[in-house]
Amino acid sequence: GKLSARSKGLFLVMIMLNYPHLLYLGMIHQRGPIAVNRYLTSVISERVQRNITGRTSQSIHYLMGCHSTPLYSHLHIPEVKISAWYLDCSPDCRSSSEEICESDAFLNDPLGFVKATYDHLPDGVCVDSSDGNTCHRDYDHQASLSKLPTFLVVMQNEA
């Protein structure tokens, strides 16, 4: 059977009603992290061209929610090594009821987390916080926190 003119019209209206949502989700929603990475790429490129930093490696630490930045997909600069670090919210961390994930520790006490992470405590392995122990067990992770980053990105969610 053929569709009636009314059915075709209704189908067309249903398709057209989805376009505003498509435009919003494709062009506006969650564009902040991509814009930040584009900005960082331009700043790093400018610094390297002007030889301001005198080095071709840069580090970026992201203190923001899980999976909220595209990371390396938007950080490509020829001849520059960029290392990015972000808060741990891995399944391994989430599966342990005894361990507090970095992302949760940061959300619960941002200032305490920043102090614990960047004040370089003597042993640097476990930090006592008001809500329990936050442990950094990964060697590469620990090495990435051994010095202050070139850039620190912090975003907050407001509903």
Side-chain angles (χ1 to χ4, degrees), residues 59-63 84-85 118 144-145 147-149 151-153:
S59 61
I60 304 169
H61 290 186
Y62 293 91
L63 300 179
W85 173 81
Y118 296 108
S144 72
L145 294 176
K147 59 184 178 179
L148 290 175
F151 298 95
L152 183 64
V153 179

Side-chain angles (χ1 to χ4, degrees), residues 56-69:
T56 57
S57 66
Q58 306 285 307
S59 61
I60 304 169
H61 290 186
Y62 293 91
L63 300 179
M64 40 204 259
C66 295
H67 315 294
S68 60
T69 184

